[in-house]
Amino acid sequence: MSEIDAGKPAGKPAGKQKSADKQKSADKQKSADKQKPQDKQAGKQADGGKEAAHGHRAADERPSGPPRLQQFYREQVVPRLRSELKIENLMQVPRISKITVNMGVGEAAADKKIMDAAVADLIKITGQKPLITKSRKAIASFKIRAGLAIGAKVTLRGMRMYEFLDRLISIAMPRIRDFRGVSPRAFDGQGNYSLGVKEQIIFPEIQYDQIDQVRGMDITITTTARDDRHGRALLEAFNFPFRK
């Protein structure tokens, strides 16, 4: 009897100790669970700081503000044209609405890889994916079937249009061999100007040792001018190199 009574008080503290241990482990688990989101948030902030420091984020790589030529048009070209053409209404000042780059690839009828190379060149030059143009009817003498891909074109507007025009005037045209200016007679009567480029390698984006062949392209600058005189005045304000 004394041994049983002596064993009972000894068993109670052991049960209390077990419950205390369980409570401590539960508290530790809760604190660890709370700490994990904080650690993840801190890790994300650290990763973001590293990306910002090394410039890996795409948003940081984009240039801020409008293109250089677009700002030049607003600040200098518009006041100049209003005074030269005697335009009172600001909305009547001529401007460039779009630029179309067209590349004919007739050799693609025999080899589809030529079309892929032409599309890759246009993407590098304009920064935009081109539209594949197809033949409307079959011509037996040229071995062309209806619906066959024979060209590619890109229509540029907005920021890409001004950036392309800036590179065309400042970098590409001075790289043309024996360049003496472009013809001032290439207007269509409504203020739109077209010019042909014989080699795509005049653009710095194209590496000469990485192309399959030299191919040309047609560039059409569409404006809101009423006639050729206003269209030429607009392009001259952009320092377009007309032949004199």
Side-chain angles (χ1 to χ4, degrees):
M1 186 67 180
S2 61
E3 292 179 357
I4 295 173
D5 295 338
K8 287 182 180 180
K12 289 182 181 180
K16 291 181 180 180
Q17 184 66 27
K18 288 181 181 179
S19 60
D21 293 340
K22 290 181 180 179
Q23 186 65 27
K24 288 181 180 180
S25 61
D27 295 339
K28 288 182 180 180
Q29 185 66 26
K30 289 181 181 179
S31 61
D33 294 338
K34 292 181 180 179
Q35 187 66 24
K36 285 181 181 179
Q38 297 178 359
D39 294 341
K40 290 181 180 179
Q41 186 67 22
K44 289 182 181 179
Q45 293 177 358
D47 294 339
K50 290 180 181 179
E51 291 178 356
H54 294 286
H56 290 169
R57 296 179 63 183
D60 297 338
E61 295 176 358
R62 296 178 182 176
S64 59
R68 183 179 69 92
L69 213 59
Q70 185 177 11
Q71 189 173 1
F72 175 77
Y73 171 77
R74 294 174 180 174
E75 296 177 357
Q76 301 186 26
V77 175
V78 172
R80 174 180 171 180
L81 293 178
R82 292 186 67 180
S83 61
E84 288 183 358
L85 304 177
K86 297 180 181 180
I87 299 174
E88 296 181 359
N89 190 351
L90 181 64
M91 301 303 294
Q92 293 181 347
V93 177
R95 66 182 185 277
I96 299 175
S97 59
K98 65 179 180 179
I99 296 179
T100 306
V101 183
N102 182 28
M103 181 179 291
V105 192
E107 301 86 356
D111 189 0
K112 294 183 179 180
K113 293 182 180 180
I114 298 177
M115 177 60 69
D116 296 336
V119 169
D121 290 344
L122 278 179
I123 292 175
K124 292 179 182 179
I125 292 172
T126 61
Q128 183 173 316
K129 186 177 180 180
L131 174 67
I132 305 299
T133 56
K134 299 180 180 180
S135 58
R136 296 181 181 178
K137 61 181 181 179
I139 303 176
S141 59
F142 292 102
K143 298 180 180 179
I144 294 177
R145 302 186 305 271
L148 191 65
I150 56 174
K153 71 174 183 178
V154 175
T155 302
L156 301 173
R157 292 183 174 90
M159 296 179 61
R160 291 181 179 175
M161 176 187 70
Y162 282 105
E163 291 173 355
F164 175 80
L165 184 63
D166 193 2
R167 289 185 287 111
L168 178 65
I169 298 174
S170 304
I171 302 175
M173 285 187 177
R175 290 162 60 104
I176 300 176
R177 290 180 296 179
D178 300 330
F179 181 70
R180 298 179 182 178
V182 295
S183 175
R185 300 179 181 179
F187 287 93
D188 63 347
Q190 299 178 353
N192 305 321
Y193 186 81
S194 299
L195 73 152
V197 176
K198 296 181 179 180
E199 299 175 345
Q200 82 274 31
I201 58 176
I202 64 174
F203 292 94
E205 294 84 3
I206 304 298
Q207 301 296 328
Y208 181 76
D209 56 347
Q210 296 180 0
I211 61 174
D212 58 340
Q213 65 180 20
V214 176
R215 57 176 60 91
M217 66 187 71
D218 297 324
I219 301 173
T220 302
I221 302 174
T222 305
T223 67
T224 59
R226 295 180 297 177
D227 50 22
D228 293 346
R229 185 176 69 89
H230 287 197
R232 180 169 179 175
L234 172 63
L235 295 182
E236 286 180 346
F238 282 111
N239 299 323
F240 209 76
F242 287 108
R243 188 183 305 134
K244 296 181 180 179

